[in-house]
Amino acid sequence: MSPNESGAEAGSLAFSGSALTLVDVTKRFGNVKALDQVSLDIPKRSFVSLLGPSGCGKSTLLALMAGLESPSSGSVMVHGRELRGANSAAGMVFQKDLLLGWKTALENILFQFEIRGLPSAPHVERAHSLLTLVGLEAFANSYPHELSGGMRQRVALCRALVHEPELLLMDEPFGALDAITREKVAIDLESITANSEKTVVFVTHSLEEAVFLGDVVLVLSARPGRIAARIDVDVPRPRREWPRGVSVFTPYIDQAFAALQQAGAYDHVEA
Ligand SMILES: Nc1ncnc2c1ncn2[C@@H]1O[C@H](COP(=O)(O)OP(=O)(O)OP(=O)(O)O)[C@@H](O)[C@H]1O
Ligand SMILES: [Mg+2]
């Protein structure tokens, strides 16, 4: 094992190779140009946070990475090959939880294996430990309609993590959570991913979340989305402590705020 692969440190030196590369990707929907010539390299095992004004193409970018959409021009490369069709290495968490109403929390998590035609029994223990991690062990046998929106979203997070996807694509996954739960789950996510081989692309509108979780924060410009700024968050892991008032995070939060302001995120008039 090379020093790069030890995984002991999650700083930028620990990365080796690319999980995903976008080369001059433009995406149009009819007359709307959502993304314009986005070139981007996502190193393996990195945590990339994406910030940008509403409608600038963040969800579109994730859909391209998941292979759910294809570029109008340019290419999406996974392990050096052009992605065609669904990206089988990717797991997704959406803003809406998309749980199956007729399955319990535990069964929804284990559904990851069911859809792949794999036995779920070997993974029951891991599913339970993920439920414990997000404070929902007592609700393993509850159905989605018996859970609050925040609880459902935490189950969806467990479902995305249970099969250890190489690439985790998260589209405002904590948007439905109350502020306190949101911070707690973000801290959990930081410790889960700091100790894993996972590459994560995480879309959020929260500056604190982006900086606390990210090795890199990318700020997209208003539509058509382009990479407007890249901020390397040079804070060692595990981070654990939420960045409110924690001085080590403050300069990065200020930089991200300034970049978002420049990108038009705080303009009053919507295009
Ligand atoms: N399937 C689609 N068909 C047509 N237009 C689309 C489609 N998906 C996205 N768009 C358009 O592409 C642009 C970017 O949308 P996208 O959902 O990627 O933005 P976003 O950055 O995720 O916004 P938000 O922060 O509000 O979630 C928008 O103008 C949207 O209307
Ligand atoms: Mg979106």
Side-chain angles (χ1 to χ4, degrees):
M1 190 185 269
S2 77
N4 275 358
E5 288 167 332
S6 72
E9 307 221 346
S12 54
L13 289 176
F15 307 141
S16 57
S18 298
L20 199 98
T21 308
L22 272 67
V23 185
D24 286 340
V25 168
T26 294
K27 180 65 183 176
R28 292 172 198 277
F29 295 102
N31 292 332
V32 175
K33 194 194 259 187
L35 293 168
D36 187 26
Q37 298 223 299
V38 174
S39 291
L40 173 61
D41 186 61
I42 311 243
K44 270 186 204 165
R45 288 187 233 150
S46 60
F47 195 117
V48 176
S49 299
L50 269 182
L51 287 168
S54 180
C56 75
K58 301 179 296 296
S59 296
T60 303
L61 200 56
L62 283 201
L64 289 162
M65 292 175 178
L68 301 173
E69 294 282 356
S70 47
S72 306
S73 63
S75 48
V76 179
M77 314 287 289
V78 177
H79 297 314
R81 290 199 186 161
E82 190 160 351
L83 179 63
R84 297 198 185 279
N87 184 350
S88 58
M92 274 202 91
V93 188
F94 300 92
Q95 187 167 9
K96 282 194 186 148
D97 58 65
L98 305 176
L99 295 183
L100 303 171
W102 63 92
K103 286 184 182 288
T104 65
L106 182 67
E107 288 165 352
N108 263 287
I109 296 170
L110 295 172
F111 187 63
Q112 279 290 9
F113 302 101
E114 204 180 304
I115 51 171
R116 289 170 168 77
L118 299 170
S120 53
H123 308 284
V124 170
E125 202 177 314
R126 176 167 164 77
H128 276 293
S129 63
L130 284 168
L131 279 169
T132 303
L133 188 66
V134 298
L136 288 180
E137 181 51 19
F139 295 88
N141 297 317
S142 300
Y143 289 89
H145 74 270
E146 299 170 309
L147 303 174
S148 72
M151 291 159 99
R152 286 200 295 272
Q153 194 62 4
R154 281 183 275 160
V155 175
L157 177 62
C158 296
R159 184 180 56 188
L161 290 169
V162 74
H163 64 309
E164 303 267 17
E166 229 175 88
L167 175 66
L168 191 56
L169 303 172
M170 308 182 85
D171 196 357
E172 300 188 46
F174 307 151
L177 303 184
D178 68 89
I180 294 167
T181 308
R182 187 171 175 148
E183 291 176 15
K184 187 182 165 299
V185 180
I187 291 167
D188 289 343
L189 180 65
E190 198 276 333
S191 57
I192 294 166
T193 52
N195 298 315
S196 82
E197 297 288 301
K198 241 177 274 310
T199 306
V200 187
V201 184
F202 181 88
V203 172
T204 180
H205 286 284
S206 157
L207 294 167
E208 286 182 348
E209 229 166 64
V211 167
F212 174 68
L213 289 166
D215 297 305
V216 177
V217 178
L218 296 177
V219 180
L220 292 186
S221 66
R223 192 177 57 244
R226 295 190 197 95
I227 307 290
R230 178 199 158 108
I231 298 157
D232 289 289
V233 184
D234 192 13
V235 177
R237 296 183 192 269
R239 293 180 177 167
R240 304 220 192 282
E241 208 181 346
W242 189 251
R244 184 174 305 108
V246 178
S247 58
V248 73
F249 290 109
T250 309
Y252 302 107
I253 293 173
D254 291 347
Q255 279 177 50
F257 176 66
L260 267 178
Q261 255 184 330
Q262 257 194 336
Y266 295 94
D267 292 355
H268 290 296
V269 185
E270 261 278 288

